Amino acid sequence: MWRSGKSNAGGFTVRNAVAEDQVAITTLVRSEHLNPLDLDWRRFVVATDGTGLLGAVQLRMHSDESRELGSLVVRRDSRGRGVAARLIAALLARAKTRVLMITGAAFARHYERWGFRRIAPASTPLGVRFNYYFGQIVGSLISLLRGRRPKELAILERNPAA
């Protein structure tokens, strides 16, 4: 699906995931309470260094042919090093079609630098819309059970010409 490529700028390597990364990807995604479904290593780009997996992101492919940038996660002790930005850039460099993503509404503007813009949930394909409502409902319930205020989510879109 993707060309194998490595980059070691910043003291870490960004590369396509391999089968041996599956357990670390699943563990990292679940540790941040992200969508635990459909975590197939073959769709992931990962960042690694001598300590192991620093972060991961996937291009989730839905049955309706839509593509969703998902499962973006960086290990807590590796944040602030540009890991997420490099993962996003590597993933989008390989995406030739429209890409959607779901993020906290408070962070939506952050993704404008990659050409993302906010769109209404009703205008999204069913697969992405399902993940949006799943995240909104389940995430709100978890927040309420923990005594926190639920976070609003946003759906973003990036077209290939961006």
Side-chain angles (χ1 to χ4, degrees):
M1 166 172 37
W2 294 332
R3 282 173 286 148
S4 179
K6 293 186 176 185
S7 169
N8 197 17
F12 58 90
T13 299
V14 174
R15 62 170 172 77
N16 296 328
V18 294
E20 292 76 21
D21 295 322
Q22 182 67 62
V23 171
I25 290 168
T26 301
T27 301
L28 186 58
V29 168
R30 290 183 176 166
S31 76
E32 293 298 321
H33 308 289
L34 299 177
N35 181 346
L37 306 174
D38 206 20
L39 301 176
D40 185 339
W41 66 268
R42 289 173 282 233
R43 292 190 297 270
F44 277 84
V45 173
V46 297
T48 62
D49 70 4
T51 67
L53 190 77
L54 304 178
V57 66
Q58 75 164 309
L59 189 61
R60 184 178 286 125
M61 297 183 210
H62 296 284
S63 61
D64 59 13
E65 303 296 319
S66 62
R67 307 288 189 262
E68 177 188 355
L69 185 154
S71 309
L72 175 61
V73 61
V74 175
R75 208 172 67 198
R76 288 184 188 273
D77 65 349
S78 298
R79 293 178 184 167
R81 295 174 53 191
V83 174
R86 294 254 317 275
L87 287 168
I88 293 167
L91 186 78
L92 292 176
R94 297 169 173 107
K96 304 299 181 215
T97 62
R98 175 186 187 209
V99 176
L100 297 126
M101 73 175 293
I102 301 166
T103 189
F107 303 109
R109 291 195 56 142
H110 174 75
Y111 296 96
E112 289 177 357
R113 66 175 156 163
W114 289 285
F116 283 98
R117 65 179 183 84
R118 192 170 180 168
I119 60 172
S123 68
T124 62
L126 186 59
V128 175
R129 197 173 333 140
F130 171 82
N131 282 349
Y132 169 79
Y133 287 117
F134 176 84
Q136 194 69 61
I137 293 166
V138 173
S140 293
L141 288 174
I142 291 170
S143 293
L144 291 171
L145 289 172
R146 292 183 174 167
R148 297 182 191 154
R149 184 176 164 163
K151 294 178 183 174
E152 177 190 356
L153 297 179
I155 300 177
L156 309 179
E157 166 188 63
R158 178 183 184 268
N159 286 308

